[in-house]
Amino acid sequence: MIYLDNAATTAVCAAAKSAAAEGFECFGNPSSLHGVGLEAEKIMRRSRETIAAALGVKDKEVYFTSCATESSNTVIFGAAAAHGKRRKRIITTTIEHPSVARPVDELEKQGFEVVRISPGENGIITPESVISQVDENTLLVSIMHVNNETGYILPVGEIFKGVKHKNKETICHCDCVQSFMKLPFKAKDIGADCISVSGHKLHAPKGIGALYVKSGVRILPLMYGGGQESGFRSGTENIPYINAFAAAVGELEPTIIERYETALSLKKYLCDKLSALDGTAVNSHEGCSPYVVSIAVERIKSETMLHFLESREIYVSSGSACSKGKKSSVLQELRIPAKYLDSTLRISMTSDNTREEIDALVSALVDGRDSLAKIR
Ligand code: PLP
């Protein structure tokens, strides 16, 4: 099979599988005071060091969560709980993942003032469009690093710098799910106070994520209980998956640039082939992440083409996995031409994909375009 839906989820790598197995063997509770617990605690400490080093932050600034959705919800509701009596304005964009968009909607219902920045006509969000909205009442700015539907890389570094310049109290949160271990960056490069990341997008299992919170940034916990994770995220820690997450990150970290280059050349190969074909379009513009390419085959509905490709054992996504066949408002916001909205497919790669796989995809798209157009 040819799997090109890596922005939805990835295959668990061998290192993560064996790290999870090690974690299952080491079954102690890291809070226990005896040796069995201590072994589990050691795994957790080592794993935290790995994730912290990959983000370029201190170990004590990294908290393990169940997924990036939990990480982002923690920041959004936790910031509101800590500071919402005094500051009520939240700034975000219209192209965020639902794990950010929905909690922000919820706070709006509770009386927070939400400013949602739309991309301009060219599909780009300018730093100024965000920074100009920051005032002394601004509690939180939550902006993603890489959009999951087109791979658009947002100028978060410039945005957060400008936000802090205007109001240093404003908490800057970045959803880095589609950039962590894919683009070469450290937390200081983007200047965010809080960063959400997820294991299953980078070859660890589903059900593990992490949240970076810069020292000194006050956010109240989402869950209260036994006081694990320095009281910030109660609940007995998932040692097998924490270990697997760190193992996957440990494997990827040394080769970020090399893998980026490989993905970039695969993307270019795909885009060149598509631009030579009639009736296909590439929605992702040049500065986008090489790992996500949004394309369209004119007049063929995304789902129809998706299932045609599936019949050839080629797996892609229609728009994004989270939109489940619904017309994506994010694609509209990103100014993808209306004629392509129903025909968009998301091709999301790893550096392990090959040119032969891209050849097979393109030839299946051509066959699909020709045969499906006849029965439309
Ligand atoms: N943010 C982005 C940009 C994503 O693509 C996803 C997953 O699709 C998430 C957040 C949610 O991650 P998780 O599945 O770990 O909750």
Side-chain angles (χ1 to χ4, degrees), residues 43-203:
I43 289 189
M44 204 168 67
R45 198 175 334 132
R46 198 178 63 204
S47 302
R48 202 183 308 280
E49 280 167 15
T50 303
I51 308 289
L55 283 166
V57 302
K58 295 181 210 131
D59 302 352
K60 63 172 188 182
E61 295 173 317
V62 171
Y63 302 94
F64 288 109
T65 61
S66 63
C67 57
T69 299
E70 183 192 328
S71 301
S72 296
N73 271 258
T74 302
V75 174
I76 294 163
F77 289 119
H83 310 282
K85 281 209 175 78
R86 288 186 297 114
R87 288 182 281 134
K88 290 274 182 214
R89 177 178 272 224
I90 297 171
I91 303 172
T92 186
T93 74
T94 52
I95 60 167
E96 298 300 313
H97 185 269
S99 55
V100 165
R102 294 296 83 79
V104 168
D105 291 348
E106 192 50 40
L107 286 181
E108 190 172 34
K109 285 186 208 146
Q110 296 173 19
F112 284 81
E113 178 203 4
V114 178
V115 180
R116 296 179 183 82
I117 308 294
S118 263
E121 283 311 314
N122 49 5
I124 299 289
I125 290 188
T126 62
E128 193 41 38
S129 64
V130 180
I131 298 162
S132 61
Q133 296 298 323
V134 177
D135 63 10
E136 60 187 16
N137 192 31
T138 305
L139 162 69
L140 174 72
V141 174
S142 181
I143 301 199
M144 70 194 331
H145 195 185
V146 170
N147 179 266
N148 49 302
E149 299 197 32
T150 64
Y152 169 39
I153 303 174
L154 286 87
V156 285
E158 269 182 85
I159 292 175
F160 294 143
K161 193 170 165 208
V163 169
K164 288 288 183 188
H165 188 69
K166 259 187 119 174
N167 183 348
K168 63 179 181 357
E169 302 290 312
T170 299
I171 295 172
C172 293
H173 168 241
C174 194
D175 169 350
C176 289
V177 168
Q178 297 292 350
S179 60
F180 186 49
M181 293 295 107
K182 294 193 171 97
L183 307 189
F185 76 95
K186 299 285 183 202
K188 71 167 171 16
D189 302 325
I190 56 175
D193 298 307
C194 304
I195 292 177
S196 303
V197 295
S198 177
H200 74 102
K201 309 289 185 179
L202 47 85
H203 306 287

Side-chain angles (χ1 to χ4, degrees), residues 306-350:
L306 183 148
H307 292 304
F308 180 83
L309 295 176
E310 187 181 13
S311 71
R312 303 258 174 118
E313 293 192 69
I314 300 174
Y315 299 96
V316 303
S317 167
S318 58
S320 90
C322 304
S323 54
K324 286 224 170 95
K326 276 193 278 166
K327 204 181 254 186
S328 164
S329 66
V330 169
L331 291 175
Q332 275 168 307
E333 284 293 324
L334 284 165
R335 313 292 164 159
I336 304 304
K339 64 177 178 178
Y340 298 142
L341 287 175
D342 281 339
S343 310
T344 292
L345 296 171
R346 179 181 69 182
I347 314 299
S348 50
M349 299 179 281
T350 71

Side-chain angles (χ1 to χ4, degrees), residues 246-263:
V249 167
E251 277 239 317
L252 294 174
E253 221 272 335
T255 55
I256 294 180
I257 293 177
E258 207 175 302
R259 284 183 297 100
Y260 179 91
E261 296 297 338
T262 308

